[in-house]
Amino acid sequence: MASTSKILLGLDFGTESVRALLVDSHGVELSSTANSYSHGQITDRLPGSNIQLPALYALQHPQDWIDSSAKATRSALRKAKIQSESVVGVGVDFTSCTMLPTKRDGTPLCLLDEFSNQPLAWPKLWKHHGAVKQTEHINKIARARNESLLNRYGGVIGLEWFFPKILETLEHAPKIYRATDIWLEAGDWFVWQLVGGSADSLPRSTCQAGYKGMWNATSGFPDRAFLKAIHPEIENVVQNKMPGRLVSPGVAAGELTQSMALKFGLQQGTPISAAIIDAHAGVPGAGASTPGTLVMVLGTSSCHMLNSDVERNVPGVAGVVKDGILPGYYGYETGQAAVGDAFDWLRRLAGHADFNVLSKGAATIPPGADGVGCIDWFHGCRTPLMDGNLKGAFYGLGLQHRPEHLYRALLEASAFGLRWIVELLREGDVEVRKFIATGGLPHHNPLVVQVYSDVLGESIMVHPSKQGPALGAAILGALAAGVFSSSSSAIRAMATPKTGEAIIYKPNRSHRKTYDRLYGEYRRHGDFLSQ
Amino acid sequence: MASTSKILLGLDFGTESVRALLVDSHGVELSSTANSYSHGQITDRLPGSNIQLPALYALQHPQDWIDSSAKATRSALRKAKIQSESVVGVGVDFTSCTMLPTKRDGTPLCLLDEFSNQPLAWPKLWKHHGAVKQTEHINKIARARNESLLNRYGGVIGLEWFFPKILETLEHAPKIYRATDIWLEAGDWFVWQLVGGSADSLPRSTCQAGYKGMWNATSGFPDRAFLKAIHPEIENVVQNKMPGRLVSPGVAAGELTQSMALKFGLQQGTPISAAIIDAHAGVPGAGASTPGTLVMVLGTSSCHMLNSDVERNVPGVAGVVKDGILPGYYGYETGQAAVGDAFDWLRRLAGHADFNVLSKGAATIPPGADGVGCIDWFHGCRTPLMDGNLKGAFYGLGLQHRPEHLYRALLEASAFGLRWIVELLREGDVEVRKFIATGGLPHHNPLVVQVYSDVLGESIMVHPSKQGPALGAAILGALAAGVFSSSSSAIRAMATPKTGEAIIYKPNRSHRKTYDRLYGEYRRHGDFLSQ
């Protein structure tokens, strides 16, 4: 237990930017700085080239991760007026499955002249959807072989996961696949850059491996027979191109190297936790130290996570991983593929520079959006259908409807998607008792939280930290540094909201009946559109 | 046959404005002027009042019709430098069913102080959708009684028709119903104002009565037993509140009164044709003097009309009226409820001031709008479902789609709706050989005509007259004045396009297969949404 205060750094890698959060071991936020990636999401053209990317591609630049996080860290240190030696531990959360091919020494293939004009040599962002056919193929083979690992993933391997993305490269750019020495998650690559060391000892997060890499503590990665059945050339991909050791979040992956210490303005030798998926970091970051609390990390997309004492294979629930989120619990991961992304899409569609008009208008429109309905699959459906090819829809449209109606319908559809997930978990005998919202969205979009509360008929607490995942990462940094003896004591010390700081949204019971009916309509339309 | 040229005036009353066209008996356009109604469509508040109108209301101001058409006529005469005595006949086309309640002397109820703040005392525009429940009720009663008149209307009485609008007033504002001496179509009211005379001799158009008033030359208006079953209080509405005589378009309803001659700058005694529905005027206006030509009047909504030698009751086809469009033929009326209106809705939704970006973008997007589909029922479905309560939809939406994709999908949906109508007619053994597009839309939106041509797999001629209905009205004015001996000779003389003036759109055969598939999707989604 920490009596005197120690300082921790949480690095939270999002889709557009990285955030550095300095926080002490009593949970007092000292400073926080975000830094946007110079290249952002790469969806149109490769950097420094005229190569047009195919639709559904979403790439990133690996140097952005180093440069932006170093800048954000230095700036956070300056803002908090903290000396480098005061920071005793670093935690890292990262989007996933964001992954890349590298050479044996860790050099990303895309940074070699030979490959820089090859799209598939670049890191694929989590939302890159180029592996549609490969995912179908892997699922077909897995079902045909009755692979037991399917049970852990609700019966479906996801379009955004690690092995579909590997297979995509093999099939579309075999030269790149063959030139690749190491396939790894971006979060793992980043931590490896911080701690150095050989390829054989590079730290791979059990969280990323478990949720996105079909890995399991008992059986490891998929076996050779399954991989061979998928494609002969990937039979040995785990042995030959996936070196390293599995390390759990909250365990030190290593210590900061001298060169990285210089770059980040930190002390050489500082312990660095193994990476965790950004959304999953939101669970400790939201102060959820006990089972049965659904932590909803709401952002570009949404991840809804839950720790439970029981292991249940719930059809459609994307992953249940033992110790996947916190030690000692079964971690359930569910999600919605487009949330803030879809809101922003609608904003652009309506030609608005910001959300002022839409939010104000939607708030005055009654539940049901005057007849407009929506299916929120603008980037596919993650939980429970696990189908990245599904598409969004609006229905009930009349000439009297304005963008505000479509926006309200979209918010409601997002809430219905969440309700579907909660009902699935409960029907699958997994208790869901409490609801905490975190991530960026709940803080600047109170309407969405109220609609979620009304549609669920449940109270929702918005955790006061505007940096839930970053705080979660810092907590893991504290654990890696040995500041606390247990994850629950770390979470309680660092992430319990102070009295009055958490906002509680209570459901408006008078809307319940309307939303029950509209939820039925949502499911009916969803059934038709997913036939 | 006219050897020396005579001058005719066509008055074309649209939803927002009226057009006056001066044309000679050889079809040479002399001048054309439009004048917008001062009060436009009244959808928010009654003029000079703060009374908020319910949703789905669309009213007009009767004085606008007189004032705007007089202004337009005077201006057209000035532009063409024509003396009042040169105009030998006047034809009138009007939106329908636009209708109003008046006192015995023709004074609209809404112009009496006592009623001016009562929404239902005002003329209801064709698109006024306040009679949803009344239409359901009338259809229920008609089906229960197995009324044979249903066969003439594809089995369904429309939400926008005459008797549902009467019943709406009786049920929502019985005082207004009781204070009404005369119910009549706006086009008939206008012609009555021009020619004067008593209520008992007021001219009612057989076109309006046949298509919108359930009237038939053999059986007349609905009988008392049917009306009594609908509502006891309307049992005698035809006898007591619908005086007048039925007059066919092209037959003189009377001669211009002295006071109206002064107001319009025309000669007292000029023969005035009975009114015709605006869309139906497009048939002679488009030079279609022979059967088997589908005349597509494309505008705010679309009307697709066809003269045929045969009488067939085609399920879903809204009306077949003997001599309803041209003497000697069975006139078939079909339509799409929202076309230009829906395009404009999407433009506003996307925050665009005009169609430049949307049109340019949609033209470069391939058939199928990159996966976006649409159901074009933004104002209900007219033919064949005759259901004003149906709503529009977009499906196949992804984050990559822009307003241009939705616009293209909407154009294609509109084309699929048309294809459905053509297939219905052909399956019902009504020949459709040629396609002529007229109305405002084809002249400023070439893309929609090309998409229609591609989806139908048929050539479409765009008639060069930008005032098809106004020209049709002028032709009827010529007939009323006895300038020609037959409608076909009048149409040939006045509306045959000069060589090179008509634009022919030919179908791009390479798109056929894609559109066949997408049409199947459209029908599948339409079936689901109309369940």
Side-chain angles (χ1 to χ4, degrees):
Chain A
M1 209 58 59
S3 54
T4 61
S5 165
K6 305 270 171 77
I7 296 175
L8 294 313
L9 170 66
L11 291 175
D12 167 38
F13 288 84
T15 300
E16 300 278 2
S17 62
V18 58
R19 176 171 297 281
L21 172 71
L22 288 166
V23 60
D24 75 13
S25 51
H26 295 116
V28 177
E29 185 177 316
L30 306 173
S31 70
S32 165
T33 312
N35 192 281
S36 294
Y37 307 135
S38 301
H39 301 87
Q41 300 181 46
I42 302 169
T43 54
D44 282 343
R45 287 168 204 284
L46 288 182
S49 123
N50 273 327
I51 309 233
Q52 181 80 41
L53 295 178
L56 310 179
Y57 269 44
L59 311 175
Q60 282 192 330
H61 196 307
Q63 194 61 44
D64 284 349
W65 302 327
I66 303 282
D67 293 347
S68 286
S69 61
K71 269 184 217 158
T73 300
R74 286 183 165 280
S75 157
L77 288 166
R78 267 198 310 277
K79 260 169 81 176
K81 301 199 175 84
I82 285 170
Q83 300 305 312
S84 64
E85 59 273 20
S86 313
V87 177
V88 303
V90 179
V92 174
D93 73 77
F94 220 102
T95 63
S96 177
C97 169
T98 298
M99 54 87 82
L100 71 162
T102 74
K103 298 308 288 182
R104 187 85 191 155
D105 65 357
T107 306
L109 255 66
C110 64
L111 300 186
L112 301 173
D113 285 349
E114 191 183 347
F115 297 109
S116 64
N117 63 351
Q118 302 286 319
L120 292 180
W122 288 75
K124 296 177 189 171
L125 189 55
W126 60 275
K127 64 194 275 196
H128 173 92
H129 276 189
V132 173
K133 286 194 179 154
Q134 291 72 30
T135 309
E136 281 170 11
H137 176 68
I138 292 175
N139 274 300
K140 207 178 101 189
I141 299 292
R143 278 194 301 269
R145 293 172 53 87
N146 204 13
E147 288 286 341
S148 64
L149 62 78
L150 280 178
N151 296 330
R152 303 199 306 270
Y153 301 108
V156 190
I157 304 306
L159 167 61
E160 295 173 356
W161 295 5
F162 198 69
F163 284 93
K165 280 174 169 151
I166 290 179
L167 186 60
E168 178 198 5
T169 301
L170 171 57
E171 294 192 342
H172 288 291
K175 277 188 189 158
I176 291 170
Y177 176 83
R178 285 164 202 155
T180 299
D181 294 326
I182 301 176
W183 287 106
L184 80 173
E185 285 270 352
D188 293 335
W189 180 82
F190 176 75
V191 170
W192 184 24
Q193 301 311 297
L194 292 197
V195 303
S198 75
D200 288 326
S201 66
L202 79 84
R204 289 181 186 268
S205 164
T206 53
C207 177
Q208 268 92 329
Y211 285 104
K212 309 292 178 180
M214 298 193 267
W215 176 87
N216 171 279
T218 315
S219 51
F221 285 108
D223 63 29
R224 288 170 54 190
F226 176 32
L227 291 171
K228 187 179 177 185
I230 291 171
H231 192 300
E233 203 166 336
I234 67 164
E235 176 181 4
N236 295 308
V237 67
V238 174
Q239 287 74 11
N240 295 346
K241 293 179 189 261
M242 290 171 60
R245 64 201 155 96
L246 273 299
V247 187
S248 294
V251 172
E255 298 179 345
L256 197 62
T257 63
Q258 186 178 24
S259 64
M260 283 296 175
L262 274 170
K263 189 164 177 72
F264 280 74
L266 295 169
Q267 194 79 353
Q268 183 181 356
T270 309
I272 315 289
S273 166
I276 187 170
I277 300 176
D278 54 351
H280 298 60
V283 177
S289 59
T290 53
T293 299
L294 190 75
V295 174
M296 308 181 287
V297 185
L298 311 180
T300 306
S301 64
S302 286
C303 237
H304 310 301
M305 275 146 314
L306 182 86
N307 281 309
S308 174
D309 291 319
V310 297
E311 182 177 25
R312 298 275 183 273
N313 288 322
V314 182
V317 168
V320 45
V321 176
K322 189 164 187 302
D323 305 335
I325 303 171
L326 287 179
Y329 299 115
Y330 293 93
Y332 290 79
E333 185 204 318
T334 62
Q336 293 176 272
V339 181
D341 243 11
F343 301 172
D344 208 53
W345 172 82
L346 186 70
R347 179 191 61 72
R348 291 196 310 274
L349 191 79
H352 283 304
D354 56 45
F355 280 97
N356 290 342
V357 171
L358 291 176
S359 295
K360 227 180 252 177
T364 63
I365 294 168
D370 287 342
V372 181
C374 174
I375 296 295
D376 55 325
W377 300 339
F378 298 87
H379 200 54
C381 174
R382 200 174 294 165
T383 309
L385 300 180
M386 287 298 286
D387 187 343
N389 292 318
L390 290 173
K391 296 291 177 195
F394 284 99
Y395 50 90
L397 294 169
L399 297 178
Q400 73 275 27
H401 293 126
R402 301 184 311 276
E404 298 88 294
H405 292 93
L406 277 71
Y407 181 57
R408 173 147 198 127
L410 175 56
L411 295 182
E412 292 177 348
S414 187
F416 294 143
L418 171 60
R419 177 165 165 176
W420 193 5
I421 290 170
V422 173
E423 290 191 356
L424 266 178
L425 287 168
R426 287 175 172 167
E427 285 162 12
D429 206 18
V430 179
E431 212 173 11
V432 187
R433 275 192 297 266
K434 278 178 60 183
F435 296 82
I436 300 180
T438 179
L441 205 55
H443 293 285
H444 56 73
N445 195 333
L447 181 60
V448 73
V449 187
Q450 187 60 57
V451 171
Y452 279 18
S453 172
D454 291 353
V455 167
L456 290 172
E458 301 272 7
S459 292
I460 297 175
M461 182 189 96
V462 174
H463 193 273
S465 171
K466 289 183 182 160
Q467 283 81 243
L471 178 58
I475 290 170
L476 296 171
L479 286 169
V483 177
F484 296 93
S485 57
S486 74
S487 65
S488 55
S489 58
I491 293 169
R492 274 197 305 273
M494 294 179 66
T496 303
K498 314 279 173 288
T499 314
E501 281 191 351
I503 306 171
I504 313 282
Y505 289 78
K506 290 190 184 299
N508 183 335
R509 302 281 171 197
S510 69
H511 295 164
R512 181 77 202 198
K513 226 169 141 181
T514 303
Y515 280 133
D516 283 350
R517 181 176 58 76
L518 295 172
Y519 174 65
E521 279 298 289
Y522 172 85
R523 292 291 306 277
R524 199 172 68 82
H525 281 262
D527 282 352
F528 173 73
L529 294 172
S530 59
Q531 269 165 17
Chain B
M1 209 60 60
S3 54
T4 60
S5 164
K6 304 270 171 77
I7 296 174
L8 294 315
L9 170 66
L11 291 175
D12 167 37
F13 288 83
T15 300
E16 300 279 2
S17 62
V18 58
R19 177 172 295 282
L21 173 71
L22 287 166
V23 60
D24 77 14
S25 51
H26 296 113
V28 177
E29 184 177 318
L30 306 173
S31 70
S32 164
T33 311
N35 192 280
S36 293
Y37 306 136
S38 301
H39 301 88
Q41 300 182 46
I42 302 169
T43 55
D44 284 342
R45 286 168 205 283
L46 288 182
S49 124
N50 272 327
I51 310 235
Q52 181 80 41
L53 296 178
L56 310 178
Y57 269 45
L59 310 175
Q60 282 193 328
H61 196 308
Q63 194 61 42
D64 284 349
W65 303 327
I66 304 282
D67 292 346
S68 286
S69 60
K71 270 186 214 154
T73 300
R74 286 180 165 282
S75 157
L77 289 166
R78 270 197 308 277
K79 258 168 83 176
K81 300 197 174 85
I82 285 171
Q83 300 304 312
S84 65
E85 60 272 20
S86 312
V87 177
V88 303
V90 178
V92 173
D93 72 77
F94 219 102
T95 62
S96 176
C97 170
T98 298
M99 53 88 80
L100 71 161
T102 74
K103 299 309 286 183
R104 187 85 192 155
D105 65 357
T107 305
L109 255 65
C110 64
L111 299 187
L112 301 173
D113 285 348
E114 189 183 348
F115 297 108
S116 64
N117 63 350
Q118 302 287 318
L120 292 179
W122 289 75
K124 295 177 190 173
L125 190 54
W126 60 276
K127 64 194 277 199
H128 172 91
H129 276 191
V132 172
K133 288 195 177 152
Q134 290 72 29
T135 310
E136 281 170 12
H137 176 68
I138 292 175
N139 275 299
K140 209 179 99 190
I141 299 292
R143 279 193 301 270
R145 294 171 53 88
N146 204 15
E147 288 287 339
S148 65
L149 61 78
L150 281 176
N151 296 330
R152 303 199 306 269
Y153 300 108
V156 191
I157 302 308
L159 168 62
E160 295 174 355
W161 294 5
F162 198 69
F163 284 93
K165 279 175 170 152
I166 289 180
L167 186 60
E168 179 199 4
T169 301
L170 171 57
E171 293 191 343
H172 288 291
K175 277 189 189 157
I176 291 170
Y177 176 83
R178 286 165 201 156
T180 299
D181 293 326
I182 302 177
W183 287 106
L184 79 173
E185 286 269 352
D188 294 335
W189 180 83
F190 176 76
V191 170
W192 184 23
Q193 302 311 298
L194 292 197
V195 302
S198 74
D200 288 326
S201 67
L202 80 85
R204 289 182 186 266
S205 164
T206 53
C207 178
Q208 268 93 328
Y211 285 105
K212 310 292 178 182
M214 300 193 264
W215 176 86
N216 172 279
T218 315
S219 50
F221 284 109
D223 63 31
R224 288 170 53 189
F226 177 31
L227 290 171
K228 186 178 179 186
I230 291 171
H231 192 299
E233 203 166 338
I234 66 164
E235 177 181 4
N236 294 310
V237 67
V238 175
Q239 287 74 11
N240 295 347
K241 292 177 189 263
M242 290 172 61
R245 65 201 155 97
L246 273 298
V247 187
S248 297
V251 171
E255 298 180 347
L256 196 63
T257 63
Q258 186 180 23
S259 63
M260 283 295 174
L262 274 170
K263 187 164 179 75
F264 280 73
L266 295 170
Q267 194 78 356
Q268 184 182 354
T270 309
I272 314 291
S273 167
I276 188 171
I277 300 175
D278 54 351
H280 299 60
V283 177
S289 60
T290 54
T293 298
L294 191 75
V295 175
M296 307 180 289
V297 186
L298 312 180
T300 304
S301 65
S302 285
C303 236
H304 309 301
M305 274 146 313
L306 182 88
N307 280 309
S308 174
D309 291 319
V310 296
E311 182 177 23
R312 298 275 183 270
N313 288 323
V314 182
V317 168
V320 45
V321 176
K322 189 162 186 301
D323 305 335
I325 304 172
L326 287 179
Y329 298 115
Y330 293 92
Y332 290 80
E333 185 203 319
T334 63
Q336 293 175 274
V339 181
D341 244 11
F343 301 173
D344 207 53
W345 172 82
L346 186 69
R347 178 190 63 70
R348 291 194 310 272
L349 191 80
H352 283 304
D354 57 45
F355 279 97
N356 289 341
V357 171
L358 292 174
S359 295
K360 229 181 248 177
T364 64
I365 294 169
D370 288 342
V372 182
C374 173
I375 296 295
D376 55 325
W377 299 340
F378 297 88
H379 199 54
C381 174
R382 198 173 299 166
T383 309
L385 301 180
M386 286 299 286
D387 186 344
N389 292 318
L390 291 173
K391 296 292 178 195
F394 284 98
Y395 49 91
L397 294 168
L399 298 177
Q400 73 276 26
H401 293 126
R402 301 186 311 277
E404 298 90 295
H405 292 93
L406 277 71
Y407 182 57
R408 174 148 199 125
L410 175 56
L411 295 182
E412 293 177 350
S414 185
F416 294 144
L418 171 60
R419 177 166 164 176
W420 193 6
I421 290 170
V422 172
E423 290 191 356
L424 265 180
L425 287 168
R426 286 174 171 165
E427 285 162 12
D429 207 18
V430 179
E431 211 171 13
V432 187
R433 276 192 298 267
K434 277 178 61 184
F435 296 82
I436 300 180
T438 179
L441 204 55
H443 293 285
H444 56 74
N445 194 333
L447 181 60
V448 72
V449 187
Q450 187 60 57
V451 171
Y452 280 16
S453 172
D454 291 354
V455 166
L456 290 173
E458 301 273 6
S459 292
I460 296 175
M461 181 188 96
V462 175
H463 193 273
S465 172
K466 289 184 183 161
Q467 282 82 243
L471 178 57
I475 290 170
L476 296 172
L479 285 170
V483 178
F484 296 94
S485 58
S486 74
S487 66
S488 56
S489 59
I491 294 168
R492 274 197 306 273
M494 292 181 65
T496 304
K498 314 280 173 286
T499 315
E501 281 190 350
I503 307 171
I504 312 283
Y505 288 79
K506 288 188 185 299
N508 184 335
R509 302 281 172 198
S510 70
H511 295 164
R512 181 75 203 198
K513 227 169 137 180
T514 302
Y515 279 132
D516 283 350
R517 181 175 58 75
L518 294 172
Y519 174 64
E521 278 299 289
Y522 172 85
R523 292 292 305 278
R524 199 172 68 82
H525 280 262
D527 282 352
F528 173 72
L529 293 173
S530 60
Q531 269 166 18

